[in-house]
Amino acid sequence: MTESTPLIATPEHSVEGFVREYLRELNFSQGTVLERASVNDKYLALARTVRHYLMARWMRTTADQIRTQPKAVAYLSAEFLLGRQLDNALIASDLESIAREGLASLGVDLDELREEEIEPGLGNGGLGRLAACFIDSLATMSVPAIGYGIRYEYGIFRQTFVDGRQVEEPDNWLDRGSPWEFAHPEHEVTVSFGGHTEKYTDPSGRERTRWVPGWQVLGVPYNYMVPGYRNGRVNTLRLWSARATHAFDLKIFNYGDYAEAVRAQTFAENISKVLYPEDSTPQGKELRLQQQYFFVACSLRDFIDQLLPEGFDLHRLPERIVFQLNDTHPVIAIPELMRILVDEQGFEWDEAWDVTRRCFAYTCHTLLPEALEVWPVELMGRLLPRHLEIIYRINDDFLDEVRESSGGDELLVRRMSIIAEHPERAVRMAYLATVAGAKVNGVAELHSQLLRDKVLTDFADHFPEKFTNVTNGVTPRRFLRLANPGLSALITEAIGDGWVTDLDRLRELEPLADDAEFRRRFREVKAANKDRLVRLLATRDGIDVDPGTMLDVMVKRLHEYKRQLLKLLHVVTLYDRITSGELAVEDVTPRTVVFGAKAAPGYRMAKEIIALINHVGAVVNAHPEVSRVLRVAFPANYNVTVAETLVPAADLSEQISLAGKEASGTGNMKFALNGALTIGTDDGANVEIRQLVGDEHFFLFGLTEPEASAMQEAGYRPSSYYEENASLRRAIDLIAKGTFSGGDPATFAPVVSNLLDEDRFMVLADYQSYLDAQERVEAAYADPDAWSRSAVLNVARTGFFSSDRSMRDYLDRIWHAEPLPANGE
Ligand SMILES: *Cc1c(COP(=O)(O)O)cnc(C)c1O
């Protein structure tokens, strides 16, 4: 790449220019003509056309970064849950209306082509989506940044239901062509595994260590554009794909063992084959550690070799880069950088450590102890023997420090060791990240506080200056501007369009909450969004939803801590009260309860809960009386694309995790920004949402974190709630006796006994409080004008949850990097 402005022919920003470019793509790239083109041909040609408009900005952004050598942010994440690319590229480049008009002049419908895109599902849920929001914000803020991750050939599985049970199907998102990526095999990187280490004496007489690997694979980078919103900037997301080394297959081919050569290739390529479909559940597979090291080793090598000028003095690395570790998945980057500096660059240990500990910062995403990653020493030693040695040395030095500062408190030393001794010797990745990282952050105020007080307490005492908070955010481009065009237009009409990149300006809507005409138009938008959702559910899932009902939505990964069961017990209780005659249909606010959730395929209880939701739904929806006022809709395969239609249509947002378990949540932010009211516990970012929107516009219920902890400590007995609360008992009995499983009590017995015997997430303890809060919801919903006033205030007061603000906080508190000037065009 030269340092001068690259020469790129950008097509003309006009309908004619667009049409010319589009036809050229259709003819010369797709190799077809309009009359014979399939919908997929037309989509691919459109994607490439839009891409061309962004190309010059992309190349200029890269050239500027190479020329000015600013400090950059490298966001290391095993997941990027991007969602569809076309829509976002269209709004970023201000091509929406040009594309629509241009295509229409050819008799092509833009909306039909948008539906053709399969979203890249390279993430499980919130963590991966957060990474996608963050790189969007960094690009929009002109911050020199690069995202590094894995180009999984198969992303998160496609979910279908058979007899109400989850069935997983492979997500072959690359099959129909992938117009948004650029492969660069010429920049492939070699990654080593296995083997052993040995000592040797270098020419200057120094005793050193080298790693003699057992096997190697290649990492091929695929670049994706990350367009900033109308600021002339396009950053890069670089995802790595694994290939067999050429030497490997050539040698075996020469021996004539074709089958062995192919096997070796398959073995290597397995590394980037599939995303692990896990989220907040324990995970300890060898292939997963291979994936982690693979993408991190590629990324470090790439940054040092490709993005730094030749001969750069690596002692100054912290001036040029900060690697943000998105959870523990990339933490193996820490010993990898040490290895590069000490073994390859000849740094003294202390020099290397001084550089390394200023290059990394760590974001913790959980409070569940079982979700904190540990790798058995045996496995680490077999796969990455040199890294294990380096981790031991880091640990020895650190524990000496702890010993000294604590006056030899050996209990403390053992507690803080990076190496756990029980149940087996294992590397605690969160501890390694905390010891080495310059900063450690939680993702909401409450979460950061609990991290300090409960999870990493000893470390917070030892390194108080390291700990900080950055509350998560979501990108307003995708989750408001794109997902909710109706509300976007209404907001822009009222306050101008500055909010898209400065979401605090939504505050200017506050006075309009008292404007009856504005509220009426707000309700019109909500009604139109509901109609849009109804059409989607009808065509996509064959689900019939009445748009006149309250839309009560709970969409997120299926996990016991998130408590989909609590929502379901509410549904069962309503069913029970109506069928028993306790409640007259006329007195019930008609509602549609929408669930969306994937369960990790190996998480048995989560899959049982999915089946139970579907079975309850089938009975409720088939009941002549009940279904007049209560319906359950559970569209399969919840993903970003579905979220974009669901969130703007929702009236009520369910954020009902047990307090102290949800680190932040981001779904909660998307709903509030789109004018849904939240029913929620005092957990994660719900706390901040409630503080901002005000108690009277939020339905709070449930135990607080200190109450829940105290109750657990005193010995929580779920069965006592069952015994003492008749309504709860009846709901559980209905499930237990087989009402929702064709009369078979065995079907859901594991769910019932889990609730009655253990109930780790205290569903029964919060049941009554939740029901009471739902009664307040009904009362509030009965007054549409007051409800929409609250909804408008939710929109006006939640601009804080823009990921642009999160990025500003990271820049100020953690990264200390500066944006480039926007690229005026
Ligand atoms: C935002 C989002 C999530 C995270 O939802 P939470 O409610 O915060 O768990 C998960 N999946 C998808 C597809 C999302 O868009």
Side-chain angles (χ1 to χ4, degrees):
M1 175 112 17
T2 63
E3 289 186 8
S4 59
T5 303
L7 290 172
I8 304 270
T10 298
E12 203 181 290
H13 199 91
S14 68
V15 173
E16 301 72 43
F18 185 90
V19 167
R20 216 175 304 126
E21 193 70 13
Y22 180 71
L23 289 174
R24 212 189 331 250
E25 273 305 312
L26 202 57
N27 300 154
F28 303 136
S29 290
Q30 277 316 105
T32 187
V33 289
L34 191 56
E35 295 70 21
R36 269 209 301 280
S38 67
V39 177
N40 195 52
D41 284 329
K42 291 180 201 166
Y43 159 69
L44 289 173
L46 173 60
R48 291 209 182 84
T49 303
V50 174
R51 198 173 86 165
H52 293 176
Y53 281 87
L54 291 167
M55 207 66 203
R57 303 177 195 188
W58 196 17
M59 294 300 111
R60 181 127 41 110
T61 303
T62 309
D64 283 356
Q65 288 183 25
I66 289 174
R67 185 167 43 80
T68 59
Q69 298 287 306
K71 182 170 180 179
V73 177
Y75 200 79
L76 296 180
S77 179
E79 301 187 11
F80 286 91
L81 187 53
L82 297 171
R84 285 180 177 163
Q85 298 298 289
L86 174 61
D87 291 321
N88 190 54
L90 280 172
I91 65 160
S93 54
D94 197 9
L95 276 174
E96 233 178 347
S97 52
I98 285 179
R100 186 173 298 282
E101 196 179 321
L103 291 171
S105 75
L106 300 172
V108 178
D109 176 15
L110 172 63
D111 292 325
E112 187 191 0
L113 301 194
R114 296 160 88 160
E115 293 306 314
E116 187 66 9
E117 180 175 356
I118 303 173
E119 69 168 75
L122 308 183
N124 275 289
L127 174 143
R129 185 52 237 176
L130 186 78
C133 284
F134 281 4
I135 58 175
D136 177 88
S137 284
L138 288 168
T140 294
M141 295 161 72
S142 301
V143 176
I146 180 164
Y148 280 120
I150 301 175
R151 179 183 176 273
Y152 300 104
E153 207 175 312
Y154 294 91
I156 186 67
F157 63 86
R158 203 161 36 214
Q159 179 192 53
T160 59
F161 297 133
V162 174
D163 295 333
R165 294 190 167 265
Q166 171 175 297
V167 172
E168 301 92 24
E169 287 174 0
D171 159 56
N172 37 9
W173 69 288
L174 292 168
D175 277 10
R176 301 245 220 126
S178 47
W180 301 103
E181 66 183 15
F182 294 79
H184 283 284
E186 76 282 10
H187 291 311
E188 69 186 20
V189 171
T190 303
V191 181
S192 302
F193 290 96
H196 61 275
T197 64
E198 60 190 27
K199 300 261 183 264
Y200 71 102
T201 308
D202 74 7
S204 67
R206 273 165 66 207
E207 172 89 344
R208 303 185 44 189
T209 305
R210 70 179 151 222
W211 177 17
V212 184
W215 51 282
Q216 295 182 316
V217 299
L218 297 176
V220 175
Y222 283 71
N223 291 340
Y224 295 73
M225 294 176 176
V226 184
Y229 183 79
R230 301 184 190 176
N231 65 340
R233 294 282 174 204
V234 177
N235 280 350
T236 301
L237 169 63
R238 186 159 298 154
L239 302 181
W240 297 96
S241 179
R243 297 270 187 288
T245 56
H246 313 302
F248 213 141
D249 19 272
L250 204 63
K251 198 166 91 197
I252 299 167
F253 262 113
N254 288 343
Y255 283 107
D257 191 345
Y258 178 75
E260 176 57 21
V262 172
R263 195 200 62 78
Q265 197 162 350
T266 309
F267 176 78
E269 292 176 4
N270 264 343
I271 291 182
S272 57
K273 185 67 76 183
V274 59
L275 168 77
Y276 274 95
E278 301 285 342
D279 189 48
S280 298
T281 42
Q283 188 44 83
K285 304 243 167 58
E286 181 161 349
L287 184 61
R288 180 141 164 128
L289 181 56
Q290 289 175 15
Q291 289 187 335
Q292 295 181 354
Y293 179 63
F294 167 73
F295 95 87
V296 145
C298 288
S299 306
L300 259 55
R301 181 96 288 155
D302 180 70
F303 187 81
I304 291 171
D305 291 354
Q306 299 292 326
L307 299 181
L308 290 176
E310 240 177 77
F312 181 83
D313 175 7
L314 289 174
H315 291 91
R316 292 174 43 214
L317 194 58
E319 295 167 26
R320 290 297 322 281
I321 190 73
V322 53
F323 292 103
Q324 186 67 36
L325 305 168
N326 194 26
D327 215 281
T328 50
H329 316 140
V331 167
I332 195 69
I334 290 165
E336 172 66 0
L337 182 59
M338 286 298 290
R339 188 192 67 78
I340 292 171
L341 295 177
V342 174
D343 294 0
E344 294 183 2
Q345 302 286 329
F347 277 44
E348 294 296 338
W349 178 272
D350 291 342
E351 274 181 308
W353 180 244
D354 181 56
V355 169
T356 299
R357 66 189 182 76
R358 288 185 291 138
C359 283
F360 290 99
Y362 162 54
T363 305
C364 179
H365 281 276
T366 189
L367 285 162
L368 302 179
E370 71 268 28
L372 288 174
E373 240 177 352
V374 293
W375 290 110
V377 160
E378 179 278 320
L379 170 61
M380 181 85 73
R382 184 154 45 79
L383 213 55
L384 300 167
R386 180 57 181 144
H387 297 77
L388 182 60
E389 287 177 2
I390 290 170
I391 292 168
Y392 279 147
R393 169 83 190 266
I394 292 173
N395 195 37
D396 287 345
D397 291 356
F398 169 63
L399 293 182
D400 282 346
E401 198 183 296
V402 174
R403 221 169 253 121
E404 197 176 301
S405 68
S406 70
D409 181 346
E410 286 303 317
L411 262 164
L412 180 70
V413 167
R414 217 169 315 153
R415 279 209 308 273
M416 295 182 81
S417 175
I418 294 169
I419 308 296
E421 300 293 334
H422 301 288
E424 60 182 331
R425 299 201 80 211
V427 184
R428 295 159 158 159
M429 301 306 273
Y431 289 13
L432 176 58
T434 304
V435 171
K439 293 281 177 183
V440 177
N441 76 287
V443 289
E445 290 292 349
L446 174 65
H447 174 239
S448 296
Q449 181 205 318
L450 292 171
L451 266 188
R452 284 185 298 250
D453 295 350
K454 301 211 154 177
V455 183
L456 298 170
T457 326
D458 298 326
F459 293 90
D461 292 343
H462 191 82
F463 303 115
E465 73 295 343
K466 281 196 187 189
F467 283 75
T468 186
N469 171 251
V470 178
T471 298
N472 283 166
V474 298
T475 171
R477 268 72 64 189
R478 182 173 295 270
F479 288 109
L480 198 48
R481 171 64 183 77
L482 235 171
N484 201 339
L487 184 56
S488 293
L490 183 61
I491 296 171
T492 295
E493 191 188 311
I495 64 170
D497 64 2
W499 59 271
V500 180
T501 51
D502 180 6
L503 206 61
D504 283 330
R505 296 195 39 193
L506 292 179
R507 281 270 174 203
E508 295 165 28
L509 292 173
E510 259 196 53
L512 293 165
D514 293 318
D515 176 334
E517 172 61 11
F518 188 82
R519 290 197 303 268
R520 189 191 58 75
R521 294 188 57 195
F522 180 89
R523 283 196 296 276
E524 251 174 37
V525 167
K526 186 61 85 179
N529 290 341
K530 285 185 178 185
D531 287 339
R532 185 168 65 133
L533 175 69
V534 167
R535 285 196 300 276
L536 177 79
L537 293 180
T539 53
R540 176 186 184 273
D541 304 276
I543 297 175
D544 176 27
V545 167
D546 176 356
T549 59
M550 179 207 297
L551 275 186
D552 173 353
V553 182
M554 181 162 192
V555 287
K556 48 187 71 250
R557 282 302 286 257
L558 200 310
H559 199 292
E560 287 164 279
Y561 86 78
K562 292 178 181 280
R563 301 201 296 190
Q564 277 91 355
L565 273 178
L566 183 56
K567 174 75 264 179
L568 195 66
L569 283 176
H570 174 230
V571 171
V572 173
T573 294
L574 285 175
Y575 171 86
D576 173 49
R577 290 185 180 167
I578 297 167
T579 53
S580 68
E582 185 184 316
L583 204 54
V585 163
E586 296 70 43
D587 297 334
V588 182
T589 306
R591 57 166 109 195
T592 303
V593 175
V594 182
F595 287 95
K598 291 179 185 177
Y603 186 176
R604 296 266 297 275
M605 186 52 64
K607 294 178 95 170
E608 288 305 312
I609 294 170
I610 284 181
L612 180 56
I613 295 171
N614 277 321
H615 279 73
V616 168
V619 171
V620 164
N621 296 347
H623 194 282
E625 205 73 15
V626 177
S627 66
R628 285 171 54 199
V629 290
L630 180 62
R631 298 270 183 105
V632 177
F634 193 166
N637 202 42
Y638 176 59
N639 59 16
V640 177
T641 305
V642 174
E644 287 168 18
T645 310
L646 243 175
V647 171
D651 294 305
L652 186 64
S653 160
E654 299 273 353
Q655 308 299 337
I656 60 178
S657 52
L658 173 62
K661 301 298 173 190
E662 185 74 90
S664 163
T666 48
N668 47 5
M669 302 168 185
K670 298 169 198 166
F671 282 102
L673 273 169
N674 281 276
L677 273 59
T678 305
I679 181 165
T681 47
D682 227 0
D683 199 16
N686 295 355
V687 177
E688 290 156 78
I689 292 176
R690 182 172 59 85
Q691 282 164 356
L692 282 162
V693 304
D695 285 308
E696 61 283 35
H697 309 293
F698 186 107
F699 302 98
L700 176 68
F701 76 95
L703 298 166
T704 62
E705 190 283 327
E707 287 167 351
S709 295
M711 207 182 257
Q712 286 290 2
E713 237 145 78
Y716 172 57
R717 229 170 47 84
S719 54
S720 67
Y721 292 88
Y722 172 83
E723 285 147 18
E724 282 157 30
N725 187 320
S727 158
L728 172 62
R729 187 165 62 245
R730 276 162 45 185
I732 291 181
D733 286 349
L734 280 180
I735 299 169
K737 74 180 195 213
T739 308
F740 307 107
S741 41
D744 178 10
T747 311
F748 296 114
V751 180
V752 171
S753 65
N754 186 277
L755 273 182
L756 291 178
D757 301 340
E758 187 187 10
D759 189 20
R760 201 182 142 204
F761 299 103
M762 308 182 86
V763 171
L764 304 199
D766 273 345
Y767 169 85
Q768 191 56 52
S769 170
Y770 180 57
L771 252 64
D772 296 344
Q774 287 288 4
E775 291 205 351
R776 300 201 301 277
V777 169
E778 291 211 4
Y781 196 74
D783 181 349
D785 221 34
W787 182 279
S788 44
R789 181 169 179 276
S790 287
V792 171
L793 288 175
N794 265 265
V795 178
R797 294 175 177 173
T798 47
F800 175 79
F801 298 105
S802 167
S803 47
D804 301 346
R805 189 270 315 148
S806 304
M807 293 298 87
R808 266 196 311 279
D809 288 348
Y810 274 92
L811 287 166
D812 293 346
R813 298 172 195 171
I814 298 175
W815 297 334
H816 311 295
E818 301 283 338
L820 293 171
N823 188 1
E825 344 198 282

